[in-house]
Each structure stands twice: as C-alpha cells, then as structure tokens.
Amino acid sequence: MTVATPKMLGQPIKRREDPRLITGSSTYVDDLQLPGLAHLIFVRSPHGHARVNGIDTAAALGVPGVLAVLTAKDLEGSTTGPLPYEFAFDPFSDVKNMERGPLATDKVRYVGDPVAAVIAETRYAARDAAALVEVDYEPLPAAVVDPEAGLAPGAPLLYEEFGTNLGHTQDRKVGDPDAAFANAERVVKLRVVNQRVFAVAMETRGCVTDWRPGRPGDSGELTMWSSTQIPHGLKTKLAVLLGVPENKVRVIAPEVGGGFGNKVDVSPEETLAAIAAMRLSRPVKWSETRSENFQAAMQGRGQVDIVEAAITGDGRVTAIHVDAICDIGGYYQYLSPLMGMLTGMMMPGPYDIPNIHFTLKGVLTNKTPVGAYRGAGRPEATYLLECLMDKIGHELGKDPAEIRRINFIPPEKFPYSNGLGANYDTGEYVKALDKALEVSGYRQLREEQQTARAQGKLMGIGLAAYVEICGFGPWESATVRVEPSGKVMVHTGTSPHGQGTETSMAQIVADSLGVGIDDIVVLHGDTAMTQSGIGTFGSRSAAVGGGAMVMAVDQVRDKAVRIAAHLLEAAPDDVERSNGTFAVRGAAGKAVTLGEIAAAAYGGNVPTGDEPGLESTRFFKPDDSVFPFGVHVAVVDIDPDTGRVTLRRFIAVDDVGNVINPLLLDGQRHGGIVQGVAQALCEEVVYDESGQLVSGTLNDYSVPTAHMMPMFELDRTVTTTDRNPLGVKGVGEAGTIGSTPTLRSAVVDALLPLGIQDFDMPATSVRVWKAIRAASGSNGQA
C-alpha cells in the first residue's frame, strides 16, 4: 500500500478541546448534580502536632439537614486495610510501616489532618455542623518542621513506636567514589534546598460518589466522578480498599482542571466519600476549597541536598557524593516515598560521572505529605547538579557553559547506563548546548554583562542542562473503532487534563487512516468505556499512549486495506490510500471510501480469514523509558536598591525526539517554564516552628503572573528514540526541570561581583535585598 494523503503528524493543529474549555461548556466534578446529592465537609486539625483525646459530635448531629458525622472510630471495619502507598519501584531500607486511614485516630500530624467528616443535605448545613464538632486536642510541645532537625537526637517524634523520624533510607553506589575522592585534585562542596511548593491547579480536588445497593447476596455498584489523573488506578485501589468487586466499581474523570502530579493519588477524602455514599445509599459530593487544598493536598519538592564533587583541574567531575534529605510530611501518601528515589535514579543527569554515592533519608515531619509535582524527583536531581556545575565554574574561574561541555556524556556512549537504574536511549547534549548558545547570543550577552558590571549594574546570565526520565510503563492501551458510517471512535487509557491529548491522538489516527481529523472522536477517563489504562503522569501520554494508538490504528488500517482489496478485486499490495479513499493503483475510478469499507466490514463482507467489524484494541509495553534533554538560558537584571529580579529573556532548547504537534509542544514548554521560574523566584510553602501553615492562602502564597514573564524564545534539536513507534520522548515536565536551575544560575551570576556564590530559592525581592546588604557589610535591616 502506498500513501498519498497529506501528513497530519508534525502539524500545528489547534487543540480540539479548547472551544468547550474556554466557553465554559465543559463539565467538572463540582458541576455534577445528582438526585439526592449530599455534601461532605471535613473537620481538619488546626494543630501541627497534637493528641486527640476525644471528639464530641452531638451538637453537629443536631443541625437540621445533617445526615451523618463520622470519626475514625465510626469507620472501623469500613476498609480492608490502610490507605495505599508505593514502595514497589525500588529497594529501600529501614522502612517504617505507618498505617493510615481516612481520618486521624489518636494523633494529628499536620495542620489540615482530617479528624471528622460531616455529610448533610446542603454544603451550608455541612459547614455549619462541621464548626460545631468539638475535638479535644492536647497540643504537643514541639513539632518537627525542619527535616534535618527531625533527625537529631531528642527531636520530638511523630510516631513514638518507631523511636525515630527516619521513615526510610537508601544507599547506592556506582564505581569507587571513595577512591575517586581520595585521589581528587579538588573537592567542591555545597548545600542546596529545594523548597516545598503547592501545585495550585486551577481546579482543586473533588469527587462525587454514587452507590447503588445490589440485590440480597449481590454487591452494589459504586460510581465515582473524580478530578483524578489515574481513573483506572483509582478504580482498582478503591475496589480493594472497600471490598467491592472491581467489576462493580466505575471511575470517571470528567474535565480535570490541571493536576501536575498532585492528582496521582488515592486520597483519604476520596475514600471517605465512597464510604459515606455506601452508608447512606445516596450520592455524596466533596469539593475542596482553595485554603483546604493548600492544607491537605500533597505538596511538591521539599528536599535538602548535601553535595560533594571530586574534580580535576580543568573541571571534570570524577565522583559525586549526595546526601538527600527528603521532607516526607506526616504520612506516606501514595507516591510520597518515590520522590527521593527518582532523584537518585537521575543523579548523574547528562554528565558522564563514573563514580557516584547517593544516600537518601526520608524524614517524617509535621507537614502535609509530599507527592508528585511536575517532574517528581527529577527536578531536584537537575537542580543540585546544575548548582554544582555553576559552583565548579565559579571556583575554577571557568565559563559555566564549558564546564558542562567537558562533562557531557558523548553521543558514542549511548545507549548509556548510569548505574542507578536509568538506561538512557539517545542524546546529543553538545548539540543542544551549542544551539542554546547560538540562539541566545551568549558571547554577546557576556560582553554586554561586562559593560553592565563596569557601570555597577547587576546583570546575570544563567545556564542549565538537563536530562529526564519519562514515558513510564508498564504499558498503555488504545482502542480504534471505525463505525459503520466511516466515522472513527478512539479510546485512550491515558487521562489528559490539559495536555491536548485529544488532538494529538486524533492526528495519529488521521495520519494512518487518511481521514479528516474532524471525523475522529477521542474518548478517555471513563473506566466503563476504556476498560484498561494507566493514566497521565510522567510525560507518558505520547510516548506510551501514542505507541498503543499507533499499534491499534495500524491494525485497523491493514484490515481496511484487505477489505478494500476484497471489494475491488485487487491485491492488498496494489491498494493505495489517497485523499480519504482506498484505490487500486493505476486504475482510475476504482476506489472505495472508508465508510464503504466499514459498511462491508459490519455487513460481514470481509475476506476469508478476517472477522466482521473494523476495530482493534492494543497494549503497548515499552522496553524502557525515554530521556528527553535540553539546555536553557536566562537573562536577569537585579535592582540593587530593592532586590527585585526582572527576567529579561528566557531561551529554551529542548530535544523531545519527533514532534506530533509543535503547537502542543510549545504550550507544554510555556507552562512548564512558568512553573519552574515561579519556584526559583517567588513560590514557597512556609510553616512556622509550631507547624502552622503560614502561606495558607493566595494572599500569602505568590503564584506567577503574566507580567513576570518575557516572551519565551523556543528552539529544539531532534534526537529520536527507538523505544516507541513514534520516536517521541515526552515534554510535559521538561520546562519545569530546566527552568528552575537556570533562573537560580542567573540570579547567582548577577550577584557574583558582590562575592555571593550561593543562594537558596526563592529569589524574592526581600531575600535578594538581604543578601546584597549582607554582602556589603550592612545588617540587612530596613
């Protein structure tokens, strides 16, 4: 078969999802209204660390419209075990097995820890009643807020039965780092802090749960609409937790207003909403407020890294030793333990470092549990490595670009095993570096900087390189069905929430079948319609979900060719697809449309050996992950009188392999860069010494705004991969991973003339101003 239809792959098709999203005609969880809908409100701890001596619910139960008030004691026997968390990806040591239910029992361990739940006819009644629940708290005299202090002898304990706040450890070595340090020409040391941040998705978390009791002796049916990134995973975990047969559980992710990893979870709130619906035999809605989201939704980052590097005189790194101290929060929550592990897995980054020693300490603190946040462990690895590369350049007096160049893994070493579980597919890092230097006009920028410094101005040029692991398996599914009319219905096991997957998947299908993109409908997020799937996280939709889609649509196409050949009385090899028809090569007018082929398929008029129908479901299991990479450059100006950092330019050169849709690609890069810049310049979750959340509202937590950002200058190189049929690598997290260290690099570069070589994020005006004052000998007081 030959193809003469214009290609859809690689074209900047506008997102097909956008009209319904920007006109407000979409349906989110909080839009759902079911007959008899009740409302769920949580009573949350106002203390960071306290014992719970008792809970009095009598007054709350007396509020008109209240249906139930539940405490941990009321939930005994409601689940088959504790809430799930994941330790399966990699070996850990000294693991503490903390069992957590939907509500706190005898102790609360962070502000926002749920202690009771009120279900009422209206949201207002539930809120009024929640305010009347009396909890007898015994505040404990101290809280663990600093993870390093939490490891010190005599620190207050979150779990007395463990005798320590150390939740788990990991110790991994590659090569002989001890010998490399012993023989090092020089050792460079630094300590970096990756502060906690909120995900701040536009839509907070929420769910609506409906329970339909079964006949005597038969299980009922549970349906949950959830703002989740993993509907199939949530379905499986809920079925196990609640003791309901999995084929009687249905999870639907309607429109999801952003996730950033924060909604890869099986949360206490979702679990309790299901329990409440089952007890009351009526639908129950839980919709999170923004302040509640800040208190209780998993937070991102939270890592302190103590770094040492053995280097040669020219700046080549021969060994690296990293002690990573991960701030886990009060409990393990789903993916919490994996964040530090992913940092260790990507420890050498794009650099050819033969000797590595990585130690990890997961520390329990009186804070909200951490979880995945755009990059999930990989940004922390990139950040510490890029801070290190800058430090080496500063100490040796060498250009930071050249320090990176001499340490890059050369192309001839790929595929490259870093010894820590990551097997890089392909990479040409020098090419990306050279492109970034060219696009930014790096040499001219350095000349401009010299002039600015001579005038007393603080101009900084930042640079960072990254490689990330993404496209996680273990598999993904896709179904392609041509309807009898010739229209195409597609199901993907991924669960998009802003990525544009409905558009990119339609492009893949249109390219293979030669149909118009408007003839294709892409469905997702409903476990009753798409029977199998893993979800959307870790930049996996195109690399893994797209691979499954290629396999399914190609199987449908090949069958369509065979049916066309059967109808046209020709050999399949003589059939070509052109302009929406399947025609016999060289035989004018001898052609059939996809609709005619489908009609024959469903009418049973198929070749011998083929079944009726025209559809395929396929599962794609990649052999390994994929590894996009890139180099980012930033230019900042700092006002020495106020400390204000102005981002003047941002240049990103990313390599994500082949590109399905450059418009979607740039949209993902824009969003990622903004989030990474925000962590570097303004975002920080702050707790005081008693565990109180100080940055608990949008009045106190600074999110980025458009005026902070310049027009991004985007370019790319293309290094394909053979680990999926499309040769794509994933881009959802690239902007965030690369931009944060780039901004920090630029800020430090601007401050170098003042003798400042280290600076922890965020570079707020106050922090920068204080650093400038301290460097000039002032006390930093206004």
Side-chain angles (χ1 to χ4, degrees), residues 235-269:
K235 169 193 171 184
T236 299
K237 298 294 187 183
L238 282 176
V240 173
L241 264 177
L242 302 173
V244 179
E246 190 171 356
N247 59 0
K248 296 295 184 71
V249 179
R250 178 184 185 185
V251 171
I252 303 167
E255 299 291 359
V256 175
F260 311 121
N262 185 252
K263 295 174 181 176
V264 181
D265 193 15
V266 180
S267 69
E269 294 88 353

Side-chain angles (χ1 to χ4, degrees), residues 458-459 636-640 643-646 746-747 750-751 768 772:
L458 301 178
M459 172 186 170
V636 303
D637 298 301
I638 297 178
D639 186 331
R644 179 176 179 178
V645 179
T646 300
V747 169
L751 298 174
V768 174
I772 293 172

Side-chain angles (χ1 to χ4, degrees), residues 320 346-351 353 381-389:
I320 185 172
M346 292 307 298
M347 184 45 53
Y351 305 113
I353 303 175
T382 297
Y383 184 74
L384 72 89
L385 284 166
E386 293 311 294
C387 290
L388 172 64
M389 292 297 160

Side-chain angles (χ1 to χ4, degrees), residues 481-482 484 556 559 562-563 597-616:
R481 181 173 66 250
V482 181
V556 168
K559 184 175 182 179
R562 294 194 300 273
I563 295 174
I597 293 170
Y602 289 102
N605 186 11
V606 296
T608 301
D610 274 317
E611 298 174 351
L614 193 53
E615 68 175 273
S616 172

